[in-house]
């Protein structure tokens, strides 16, 4: 029934032989040329043998492009954390700390991801000059930590780019890789700009100035009118039993990272300035918990040589001014500039600055400027 | 392993072709190459399915052998019953018990029965063989040929449903016989067309269809416009998906020198519902006609008997697609339409062709809504929107614009069928080979992205 392919076999088999030959040769040729192109461009800069092109981030997928940045020899210092520390601009920090920073902070990075990118950086820079860690709710929240254990999916987090196994660095041969390769090729040859700067910095608040204060308040308070948090009364008491019940397993990752840094490396840990409305309500159990969290982090950091801890997550001129914010946890680049300045210079001389608390005192001489 | 995966396109297929042609001169060996490849192909999905397939083939072949040796006709009846029992258990147990429980007002938690892939297809092929044996219209084949007949990987999972007498004889043909390069070329081109239909057309419109049908399933009422876009998107999806699969199966068969029957012939150009079933899933229509409709009397015993035969055939045809009332109702509606079509033909009055075409297309579209919907409630809600009972809103969520749906529909309505393109239009010109190679290269890379979907008919 119906038409069949074989019913139309003609006598021109020699020409069909040519057809098959061209089809197979063209397909195999394209296939080989395509992969060769990927190998030469090496879009993520991860292959064991690779041309020394000036690669950079070409899409917003930080997890795919930052391992390459972490390997670059032009840097000697790094910033590790989440988006709450991403606005720390290497251009601001470099001259202040006489370092060459790469900002490896990734949006919503779990502590596992932060440690993974730190590992890559340390592998290629065993004696860093300075490392800045942003310690925020990702370290504080036990549930967030538990959620990430064993749940980092390869499509979101390409573990193969972070490990030490060169055998798994060969790229999958698919259309997505080909598109990425084409984009990287265009960036390398100057036909298009990189998505982010090659030092990892990106001002993701560029759009904030398009928003008026009403919009910002809407994001912060859920209304155009500022709200105030009333302290909980009576205040929850920090009893030994309550304190003992708090667990912050993610701090172990910070400990591990700090312990792997040489004594000569400056270690700066920051609690970033969340807007006051999104900090714990005074007198609440959460406030007690944050206090205890900060204390444990401070105890840890101060055990290390050449380390300092700056707590910006307090009630301060920064955190109480709505105009300083993009949303509840992300501040403006102006604030980021101030933070850079304070941690580099005035952290030592201005211990009474109302914008932060400083721990680990006295600092080592090398840290003092 | 899907046809639209890199494992298949870059490893499995080239290796199988190389091995097959390496043993082209040795019939038994090349048949075993295809059998081994087919069993590997099947087991790659889930190794647990393989024993059922092999046992099913062995039992059916034993039935044929016993029948030939001892002339036990009842063994063939038992064989058919066994096939129906197997498919009934795997496919319909939960449906039957669930329906009975619902009628009795009881709650039934479905049993965890995994449906083996392709069971509807390989069971039907085997039933047709046993019935033909009973009719004295089939010989007993050597085991390896029968095994290949059932398991041949291009059509094992989702057809076309091939008859024993149109393929088993071909196993003896030398693959290197005259026309080998033409068969290979046309096979590659059909594979390319099928991949294009599936990966570019079907998978794209599927996003729109799934979004809208899922939206309706959650209780939202689709707008008038949205409901028509949903129906059109799904009509295109199922056509490109299934005809694309069939093109690939036929193309793969051609590469191995085997001719597999055509399954689609521009179904959306049908001018009556009878015409539609001559163009849609042709091998299933043929099976239902030869093994259900005609044995039940067909048109030989007057109109009432014919109506009954048509209705039973189409209800069972609907049920074959899936264990659900939406499929039964869809089949029943098509049965009714066929009955009306037959009665209309008796009157001798003929509709103008464009009118017949529009009427048929509309009916098919409404039918697809029932076929696709998760339940009758969702189907009724969408149909109410289509006929304006939910208002005449033109709101459409921010998905594929209707103009793009229109572009995607063009190949189905004005394009040549794949068969016609390959048999009448394709010439052995180098530029064509280069274009096919470039597009195949793109599709092979696209297949590696990992966001491909299974074929719709795999679930049946």
């Amino acid at each position: 029934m119906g038409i069949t392919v074989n019913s139309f076999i003609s006598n021109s088999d020699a020409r069909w032989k040519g057809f098959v030959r061209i089809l197979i040769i063209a397909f195999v040729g394209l296939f080989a040329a395509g992969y060769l192109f990927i190998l030469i461009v090496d879009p993520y800069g991860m292959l064991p043998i690779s041309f020394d092109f000036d690669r950079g981030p070409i899409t917003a997928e930080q997890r795919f492009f930052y391992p390459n940045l972490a390997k670059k020899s032009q840097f000697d210092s790094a910033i590790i954390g989440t988006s709450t520390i991403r606005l720390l601009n290497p251009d601001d920090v470099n001259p202040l700390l006489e370092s060459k920073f790469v900002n490896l902070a990734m949006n919503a990075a779990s502590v596992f991801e932060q440690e993974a990118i730190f590992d890559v950086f340390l592998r290629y820079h065993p004696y860093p000059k300075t490392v800045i860690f942003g310690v925020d709710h990702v370290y504080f929240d036990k549930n967030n930590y538990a959620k990430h254990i064993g749940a980092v999916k390869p499509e979101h987090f390409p573990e193969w780019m972070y490990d030490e196994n060169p055998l798994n660095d060969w790229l999958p041969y698919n259309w997505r890789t080909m598109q990425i390769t084409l984009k990287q090729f265009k960036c390398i040859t100057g036909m298009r700009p990189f998505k982010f700067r090659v030092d990892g910095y990106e001002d993701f608040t560029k759009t904030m100035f398009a928003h008026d204060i009403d919009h910002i308040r809407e994001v912060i308070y859920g209304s155009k009118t500022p709200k105030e948090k009333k302290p909980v009364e009576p205040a929850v008491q920090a009893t030994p039993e309550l304190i003992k019940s708090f667990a912050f397993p993610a701090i172990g990752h910070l400990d591990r990272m700090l312990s792997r840094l040489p004594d000569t490396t400056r270690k700066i840990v920051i609690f970033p300035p969340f807007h006051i409305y999104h900090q714990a309500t005074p007198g609440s159990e959460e406030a007690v918990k944050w206090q205890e969290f900060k204390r444990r982090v401070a105890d840890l950091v101060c055990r290390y040589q050449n380390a300092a801890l700056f707590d910006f997550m307090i009630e301060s001129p920064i955190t109480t001014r709505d105009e300083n914010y993009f949303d509840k946890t992300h501040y403006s680049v102006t604030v980021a500039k101030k933070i850079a300045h304070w941690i580099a210079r005035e952290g030592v001389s201005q211990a009474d600055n109302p914008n932060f608390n400083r721990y680990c005192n006295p600092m080592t001489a090398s840290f003092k400027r | 392993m899907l046809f639209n995966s890199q494992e298949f396109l870059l490893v499995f297929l080239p290796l199988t072709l190389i091995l097959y042609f390496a043993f082209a001169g040795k019939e038994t060996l090349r048949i075993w190459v295809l059998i081994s490849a087919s069993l590997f192909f099947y087991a790659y999905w889930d190794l647990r399915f393989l024993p059922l397939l092999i046992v099913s083939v062995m039992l059916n072949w034993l039935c044929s052998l016993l029948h030939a040796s001892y002339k036990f006709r009842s063994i063939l009846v038992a064989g058919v019953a066994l096939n129906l029992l197997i498919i009934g258990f795997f496919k319909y147990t939960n449906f039957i018990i669930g329906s009975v429980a619902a009628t009795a007002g009881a709650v039934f938690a479905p049993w965890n029965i995994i449906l083996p892939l392709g069971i509807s297809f390989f069971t039907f092929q085997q039933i047709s063989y046993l019935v033909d044996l009973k009719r004295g219209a089939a010989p007993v084949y050597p085991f390896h040929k029968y095994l290949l007949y059932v398991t041949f990987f291009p059509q094992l999972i989702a057809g076309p449903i091939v008859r024993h007498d149109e393929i088993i004889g071909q196993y003896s043909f030398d693959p290197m016989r005259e026309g080998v390069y033409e068969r290979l070329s046309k096979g590659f081109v059909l594979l390319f067309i099928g991949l294009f239909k599936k990966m570019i057309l079907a998978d794209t419109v599927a996003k729109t269809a799934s979004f809208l049908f899922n939206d309706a399933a959650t209780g939202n009422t689709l707008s008038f416009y949205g409901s028509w876009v949903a129906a059109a998107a799904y009509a295109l999806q199922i056509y490109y998906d299934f005809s694309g699969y069939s093109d690939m199966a036929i193309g793969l068969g051609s590469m191995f020198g085997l001719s597999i029957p055509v399954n689609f012939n521009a179904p959306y150009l049908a001018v009556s519902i009878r015409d539609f079933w001559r163009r849609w899933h042709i091998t299933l229509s043929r099976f239902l006609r030869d093994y259900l409709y005609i044995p039940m009397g067909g048109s030989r015993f007057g109109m009432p008997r014919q109506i009954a035969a048509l209705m039973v055939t189409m209800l069972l045809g609907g049920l074959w697609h899936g264990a659900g009332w939406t499929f039964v109702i869809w089949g029943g509606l098509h049965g009714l339409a066929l009955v009306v079509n037959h009665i209309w033909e008796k009157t001798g009055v003929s509709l103008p062709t464009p009118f017949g075409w529009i009427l048929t297309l509309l009916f098919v579209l409404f039918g697809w809504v029932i076929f696709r919907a998760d339940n009758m409630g969702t189907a009724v809600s969408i149909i109410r929107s289509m006929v304006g009972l939910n208002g005449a809103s033109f709101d459409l969520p921010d998905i594929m614009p209707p103009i793009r749906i229109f572009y995607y529909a063009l190949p189905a309505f004005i394009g040549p069928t794949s068969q016609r393109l390959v048999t009448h239009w394709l010439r052995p010109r180098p530029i064509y080979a280069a274009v096919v190679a470039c597009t195949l290269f793109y599709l092979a890379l696209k297949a590696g992205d990992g966001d491909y979907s299974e074929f719709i008919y795999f679930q049946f």
Side-chain angles (χ1 to χ4, degrees), chain B residues 14-50:
Chain B
L15 277 179
T16 309
L17 275 171
I18 289 168
L19 275 173
Y20 183 73
F21 279 97
F23 297 112
K26 298 185 172 79
E27 183 183 325
T28 309
L29 265 177
R30 68 169 185 262
I31 287 177
W32 277 107
V33 166
L34 280 188
I35 291 170
S36 312
S38 299
L39 295 180
F40 176 80
F41 176 84
Y42 193 69
Y44 195 83
W45 301 98
D46 192 331
L47 194 62
R48 289 173 301 172
F49 295 159
L50 193 59

Side-chain angles (χ1 to χ4, degrees), chain A residues 2 27 52 112 126 145 194 209 216 261 274 282-283 298 323 326 331 344:
Chain A
F27 180 80
D52 190 21
F112 299 93
Y145 177 80
F194 289 113
F209 298 108
I216 292 169
L261 288 169
F274 283 13
E323 290 82 350
F326 175 70
Y331 40 85

Side-chain angles (χ1 to χ4, degrees), chain A residues 3 8 10 20 173 175-176, chain B residues 6 182 185 259 262 445 448-449:
Chain A
I3 316 157
F8 287 87
S10 66
V20 173
Y173 192 16
W175 188 242
R176 203 167 288 149
Chain B
Q6 284 193 333
E182 185 168 356
S185 305
S259 178
V262 172
L445 292 198
D449 280 350

